[in-house]
Amino acid sequence: MGEVSIFDRADSPRLIAHRGYTPVAPENSLPAFETAAKLGMWAVETDVHITRDGVLVCCHNADTGAGFDAALLIADCTFAELRKLRIIRGNGADKLPAESLRLPAFREYLDICRKYGTVPFVESKTADINRVLAELKEMDMLECAVLSSIEFEHLEVCRYLNRKIFIHHIFSTPEQMLRIAELGNGGCSWNYPEPAAAPLKLIDETHQRGVRVCLRAADTCEHLRLMLALKLDYIPTNLLTPEAARQVGSPSARDMPSGGEKGIVISEKIS
């Protein structure tokens, strides 16, 4: 498995703050990003869209209706128009300074990641992958970031444009996992909400193909313990911190999920 700098760090486990650290601040907000980075998370995840005038911004949905004080379609608005909005929903939205709750520019998010040495885990929700890569390059962060997408075509384009950045596919099929192996320097997530149901054979063969792997978010110590027993490469979370993870300790044989023998054997499924 080819090593890149983001996996050379001593973080154990490698926790990913999903949309920032949301117990104390709204998702995809500057305070959520900074809190996650200060806590020592291995990576901070965000979602990236592009405005009408070509500015990359951090927001989960294609519009601002879910969290902001107005519902606007990001692709139809200028950055200046969107910056007038404020986040009004989510933990801490009623207590944090209004200026900190503006729509974050992608560059502001990257500034936080670089300041604290945190891996940017970027889910691209724009087809303009070249623009995302260009901004990472401008910040000299191509080799310390992850480009993630649920749209497999985005990863194909990314790998065509750049051979170095680590790519991650969300909720892969066995066929897509094999394609990630061909593209190289990549990982995937298997869609198992309960880690005890994740087939050991599937995890093992994913690793054997040179592909790194995670599951859905670990939001309890029990789920984290099971994921550590599965030897996952990184672990998304909405709630846990590195300090909480240290309290979990190293997994033992009794922590190993019991459903492993029921899994897909990829080499048999795809011939």
Side-chain angles (χ1 to χ4, degrees):
M1 188 181 300
E3 293 291 329
V4 293
S5 59
I6 59 174
F7 295 105
D8 290 340
R9 291 174 37 171
D11 305 67
S12 181
R14 299 184 186 99
L15 292 180
I16 304 166
H18 184 231
R19 307 178 197 168
Y21 191 65
T22 55
V24 300
E27 65 175 45
N28 280 318
S29 67
L30 292 172
F33 297 150
E34 184 140 22
T35 300
K38 284 180 176 179
L39 286 169
M41 304 294 276
W42 174 72
V44 177
E45 188 264 358
T46 193
D47 312 270
V48 175
H49 294 268
I50 193 165
T51 66
R52 192 179 76 211
D53 52 344
V55 178
L56 296 173
V57 295
C58 301
C59 187
H60 182 258
N61 297 331
D63 66 81
T64 60
F68 289 79
D69 52 4
L72 300 176
L73 193 64
I74 291 172
D76 288 348
C77 298
T78 66
F79 181 59
E81 289 169 337
L82 291 165
R83 289 287 264 196
K84 295 176 183 176
L85 306 183
R86 291 295 180 269
I87 300 170
I88 59 171
R89 299 180 186 89
N91 291 326
D94 58 339
K95 300 179 180 67
L96 292 163
E99 183 61 19
S100 73
L101 296 176
R102 63 188 184 273
L103 180 72
F106 183 48
R107 186 171 291 265
E108 290 177 305
Y109 157 82
L110 292 178
D111 280 336
I112 290 170
C113 290
R114 183 163 62 179
K115 177 180 177 181
Y116 294 96
T118 305
V119 173
F121 205 104
V122 182
E123 182 177 348
S124 181
K125 292 187 171 176
T126 170
D128 194 350
I129 302 300
N130 193 50
R131 184 73 193 91
V132 178
L133 294 178
E135 197 138 324
L136 285 166
K137 184 177 181 180
E138 288 170 15
M139 300 284 286
D140 195 26
M141 299 182 79
L142 271 174
E143 294 184 46
C144 64
V146 175
L147 194 288
S148 169
S149 185
I150 201 167
E151 302 292 340
F152 203 87
E153 183 181 358
H154 289 188
L155 303 181
E156 297 267 12
V157 171
C158 178
R159 183 54 78 235
Y160 174 79
L161 293 170
N162 184 276
R163 300 297 305 175
K164 293 183 177 181
I165 192 170
F166 187 86
I167 57 175
H168 172 84
H169 185 242
I170 301 167
F171 303 155
S172 289
T173 65
E175 291 84 358
Q176 289 168 328
M177 186 280 288
L178 292 178
R179 180 57 181 151
I180 288 286
E182 292 174 356
L183 293 173
N185 195 26
C188 70
S189 61
W190 296 113
N191 190 8
Y192 287 92
E194 290 295 327
L200 299 181
K201 287 183 178 180
L202 184 62
I203 304 297
D204 288 346
E205 187 146 0
T206 304
H207 281 143
Q208 289 166 18
R209 299 282 181 165
V211 177
R212 295 185 182 272
V213 63
C214 72
L215 301 176
R216 296 184 71 109
D219 290 332
T220 68
C221 289
E222 178 60 22
H223 276 187
L224 177 59
R225 188 176 292 108
L226 290 171
M227 290 183 185
L228 292 174
L230 286 167
K231 295 181 169 56
L232 301 185
D233 295 286
Y234 35 85
I235 299 173
T237 183
N238 297 291
L239 300 173
L240 299 180
T241 66
E243 179 58 32
R246 283 190 285 272
Q247 303 305 315
V248 170
S250 300
S252 62
R254 65 181 174 81
D255 295 315
M256 187 62 69
S258 59
E261 294 306 313
K262 301 176 183 177
I264 300 167
V265 180
I266 296 170
S267 57
E268 294 177 2
K269 182 176 176 64
I270 304 172
S271 57

